[in-house]
């Protein structure tokens, strides 16, 4: 079976022409798949019946299945998606009240190699990279299931996007062209693979960058994030400055507040020192428990003090809303478990 989600618009034209059909049929198919989120060929009402029948015999739109779907009290939906080989990873739909934004949080790998000590994905180890079309398929799955059009994509699901650079980059181009999502509405989040951050700046389409900093003390960061041993805070900062200079954009620094470890006033001071000459916003993420809990949630009071200290240093700070925690869809809770 041909999997149509694999094809770019040009490739779809080739495919259609090979079947002896006119080129404009590809445009119709394309619009049904990407804009109208058709889940099957029967709904494609302006495509003549015999061509639809032919398509049904030889092609599918997606080769993925929704293995499990959970809806949170706050409206967040978590999908466990099964890929053609039986591997699974999550995709999360987040809606924010009062905003027309519908964000898809996609996975770039099944599992992860980075080994961050506080993250549930790391605990399951690495399985494989996701293909470009498997990343696209996650967004199409949400659109088909809900009938809604995704407006923002964040690479914050399972995996380290810059460790699957090529496929992720191709996916970004297709999200931009095929799904018509502006490049500013596409964000990748990385644990800080410094040379790859620089490489990203050479591309024509440069996504918004979020970095999982989580700690501005190198020794403590080493304990919780093995990546610090390869690319330390200094390397990371150099790459972030490069990104800001090259793109004129700001980076978002994600910072997990872990009770009594990263949420202290001393740590806030280190963070202020680290970011004083960086064009950035800070996104504080209260630690989400992942079961085997060596770490604890921050106290509300400590979160507020931490936020205040950063704001006093002139930075824009947001505290990330905990979304979908009741269905284990919050940050760091994605482990592909069934
Ligand atoms: N590998 C990328 C993409 C994952 S994004 C990255 O590291 O950025 C998922 C975000 O959730 C990251 O910022 C990650 O550090 C954070 N996270 C992981 N475990 C968490 C936990 N238990 N509580 C809160 N946030 C967590």
């Amino acid at each position: 079976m041909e999997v149509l989600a694999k094809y770019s618009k040009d490739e779809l034209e080739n495919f259609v022409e090979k079947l002896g059909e006119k080129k404009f049929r590809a445009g119709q198919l394309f619009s049904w798949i990407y804009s109208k989120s058709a889940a099957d060929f029967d709904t494609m009402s302006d495509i003549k019946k015999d061509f639809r029948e032919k398509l049904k015999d030889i092609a599918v739109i997606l080769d993925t299945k929704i293995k499990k779907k959970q809806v949170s009290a706050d409206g967040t939906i978590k999908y466990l998606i099964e890929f053609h080989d039986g591997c699974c990873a999550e995709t999360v739909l987040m809606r924010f009240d009062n905003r027309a934004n519908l964000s898809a949080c996609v996975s770039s790998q099944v599992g992860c190699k980075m080994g961050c000590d506080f993250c549930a994905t790391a605990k399951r180890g690495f399985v494989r990279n996701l293909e470009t079309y498997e990343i696209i398929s996650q967004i199409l799955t949400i659109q088909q299931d809900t009938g809604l059009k995704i407006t923002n994509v964040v690479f914050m699901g399972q995996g380290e996007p810059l460790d699957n650079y090529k496929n992720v980059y191709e996916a970004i181009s297709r999200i931009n062209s095929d799904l018509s999502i502006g490049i500013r509405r596409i964000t990748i989040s990385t644990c800080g693979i410094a040379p790859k951050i620089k490489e990203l700046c050479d591309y024509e389409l440069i996504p918004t960058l979020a970095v999982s900093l989580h700690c501005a003390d190198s020794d403590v960061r080493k304990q919780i994030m093995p990546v610090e041993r390869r690319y330390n805070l200094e390397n990371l900062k150099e790459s972030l400055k490069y990104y800001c200079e090259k793109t004129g954009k700001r980076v978002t620094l994600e910072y997990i507040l872990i009770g009594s470890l990263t949420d202290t006033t001393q740590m806030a001071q280190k963070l202020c020192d680290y970011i004083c000459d960086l064009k950035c916003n800070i996104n504080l993420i209260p630690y989400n428990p992942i079961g085997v809990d060596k770490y604890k949630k921050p106290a509300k009071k400590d979160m507020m003090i931490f936020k205040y200290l950063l704001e006093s240093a002139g930075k824009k700070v947001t505290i990330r809303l905990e979304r979908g925690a009741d269905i284990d869809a919050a940050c760091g809770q994605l482990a592909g478990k069934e």
Side-chain angles (χ1 to χ4, degrees):
M1 281 281 182
E2 300 285 337
V3 182
L4 299 191
K6 286 186 183 172
Y7 296 154
S8 66
K9 204 167 184 181
D10 291 345
E11 289 166 340
L12 207 56
E13 277 178 8
N14 286 342
F15 167 75
V16 164
E17 279 182 324
K18 258 193 222 143
L19 293 177
E21 294 289 334
K22 296 247 165 56
K23 225 177 176 171
F24 79 94
R25 295 276 173 220
Q28 290 177 319
L29 256 177
F30 191 84
S31 137
W32 279 108
I33 296 173
Y34 293 95
S35 311
K36 297 183 230 166
S37 308
D40 57 60
F41 298 115
D42 284 327
T43 48
M44 302 181 175
S45 51
D46 58 358
I47 295 181
K48 58 183 176 168
K49 186 135 193 285
D50 62 335
F51 184 42
R52 287 197 321 242
E53 293 302 324
K54 197 189 301 178
L55 285 171
K56 277 202 259 179
D57 288 340
I58 60 163
V60 288
I61 299 171
L62 300 175
D63 65 357
T64 46
K65 279 202 295 257
I66 298 176
K67 188 100 189 257
K68 196 170 167 188
K69 173 180 169 184
Q70 289 166 279
V71 182
S72 161
D74 64 21
T76 302
I77 306 180
K78 181 170 82 165
Y79 297 92
L80 183 68
I81 295 187
E82 184 179 322
F83 300 100
H84 67 94
D85 61 352
C87 281
C88 295
E90 291 91 346
T91 303
V92 181
L93 168 68
M94 298 172 290
R95 344 166 171 229
F96 295 95
D97 299 333
N98 314 321
R99 280 197 248 167
N101 289 354
L102 284 174
S103 299
C105 171
V106 298
S107 293
S108 54
Q109 297 177 319
V110 179
C112 186
K113 292 180 209 160
M114 297 299 124
C116 300
D117 199 32
F118 45 78
C119 179
T121 306
K123 302 290 172 212
R124 68 164 294 185
F126 176 72
V127 182
R128 70 168 174 89
N129 281 333
L130 288 177
E131 300 294 333
T132 300
Y133 87 95
E134 291 175 318
I135 297 169
I136 302 291
S137 298
Q138 295 174 50
I139 304 167
L140 289 176
T141 298
I142 300 181
Q143 294 198 159
Q144 288 184 3
D145 186 61
T146 60
L148 301 169
K149 178 81 180 69
I150 292 296
T151 61
N152 297 61
V153 177
V154 297
F155 283 83
M156 292 190 188
Q158 280 194 35
E160 167 51 48
L162 295 185
D163 184 42
N164 182 18
Y165 193 77
K166 202 172 154 284
N167 296 349
V168 165
Y169 198 78
E170 267 173 45
I172 289 173
S173 314
R174 285 193 54 198
I175 292 165
N176 182 248
S177 62
D178 302 352
L179 286 153
S180 308
I181 297 177
I183 190 67
R184 288 212 216 98
R185 292 174 175 267
I186 305 173
T187 301
I188 62 168
S189 176
T190 173
C191 65
I193 303 184
K196 289 280 182 279
I197 292 175
K198 283 190 169 172
E199 251 179 72
L200 192 69
C201 305
D202 294 335
Y203 282 88
E204 200 179 322
L205 288 170
I206 307 175
T208 300
L209 184 66
V211 173
S212 295
L213 185 72
H214 301 333
C215 185
D217 175 293
S218 187
D219 290 332
V220 176
R221 193 168 191 261
K222 262 182 213 147
Q223 285 169 36
I224 59 176
M225 298 179 74
V227 69
E228 174 70 16
R229 295 168 203 275
R230 279 241 20 220
Y231 308 111
N232 63 22
L233 287 168
E234 233 174 275
N235 302 148
L236 180 58
K237 183 142 144 194
E238 197 208 318
S239 70
L240 297 181
K241 283 191 154 168
Y242 184 81
Y243 175 91
C244 294
E245 272 162 31
K246 270 269 199 170
T247 65
K249 299 201 224 191
R250 231 162 245 283
V251 287
T252 297
L253 297 180
E254 301 162 280
Y255 189 102
I256 300 191
L257 292 168
I258 301 177
S260 315
L261 184 67
T262 63
D263 68 344
T264 61
T265 53
Q266 193 197 0
M267 286 295 176
Q269 191 51 55
K270 291 206 165 171
L271 180 58
C272 289
D273 294 344
Y274 185 73
I275 61 180
C276 63
D277 54 352
L278 204 62
K279 252 176 73 182
C280 62
N281 298 323
I282 315 294
N283 192 203
L284 298 174
I285 315 174
Y287 171 71
N288 288 311
I290 58 164
V292 277
D293 282 298
K294 158 154 145 198
Y295 301 119
K296 35 176 222 245
K297 287 186 167 205
K300 195 125 205 188
K301 172 174 102 343
D302 295 329
M303 268 166 49
M304 291 308 152
I305 296 173
F306 200 96
K307 180 169 186 265
Y308 172 78
L309 290 172
L310 289 169
E311 281 169 345
S312 309
K315 295 293 173 184
K316 187 167 166 253
V317 186
T318 48
I319 295 184
R320 188 175 291 182
L321 288 173
E322 193 177 273
R323 308 209 58 99
D326 54 337
I327 54 168
D328 278 353
C331 297
Q333 294 185 315
L334 305 181
K337 67 188 175 199
E338 216 199 322

